[in-house]
Amino acid sequence: MATDDTSIQDYPVPEAQFTLASLSHALHQGMSPIVEVKSMDGIYSVRFHHANGISSLVDGSGSVCTFKGTGEIRDLMGSLGLTHGVLTWADQCGDEMIGVPSKPITAEEMLTYGTRIAFR
């Protein structure tokens, strides 16, 4: 989904986080984020890239929501009307154990080289 600078100007983004309820409200107000499903050794989390930055999906207590598979994420995002996202992997660059020099990849690079996934 494309983002633009006007897509969420009427909706104040919480401090780098969305609950399902606040995400639903923001989507109904016109926010159109890029959805990132981030894989971390078999555990998944969801982040939203939008005009005001990056926000994580959190529960009611503010803890980042984690999932053991992508099916539940697909169902949740699909139920909100989101149709697709990008599957990325935790930043693993280089190997200090064997002295391979590296530099961290940016969030933009992760989205560019991630795998496109569908929610419906």
Side-chain angles (χ1 to χ4, degrees):
M1 297 186 149
T3 61
D4 62 42
D5 290 337
T6 62
S7 63
I8 60 172
Q9 72 186 46
D10 293 333
Y11 183 77
V13 176
E15 295 179 17
Q17 57 190 20
F18 279 111
T19 62
L20 282 175
S22 65
L23 175 61
S24 177
H25 182 73
L27 293 170
H28 283 94
Q29 296 297 314
M31 185 181 82
S32 182
I34 296 172
V35 181
E36 176 187 7
V37 177
K38 187 171 184 177
S39 174
M40 301 164 288
D41 295 328
I43 303 295
Y44 300 87
S45 63
V46 180
R47 299 192 316 176
F48 305 96
H49 299 256
H50 48 79
N52 291 344
I54 301 172
S55 301
S56 295
L57 180 63
V58 299
D59 62 20
S61 67
S63 297
V64 172
C65 294
T66 57
F67 304 88
K68 292 184 179 178
T70 57
E72 186 178 0
I73 296 169
R74 178 197 63 225
D75 294 344
L76 285 172
M77 297 301 105
S79 73
L80 294 173
L82 295 165
T83 59
H84 61 280
V86 179
L87 177 63
T88 64
W89 290 266
D91 187 7
Q92 296 179 0
C93 55
D95 191 338
E96 55 278 344
M97 298 270 306
I98 59 173
V100 175
S102 63
K103 69 176 186 85
I105 63 173
T106 66
E108 183 177 299
E109 290 171 324
M110 288 180 77
L111 290 176
T112 298
Y113 301 113
T115 302
R116 305 307 183 248
I117 56 174
F119 299 134
R120 292 196 217 185

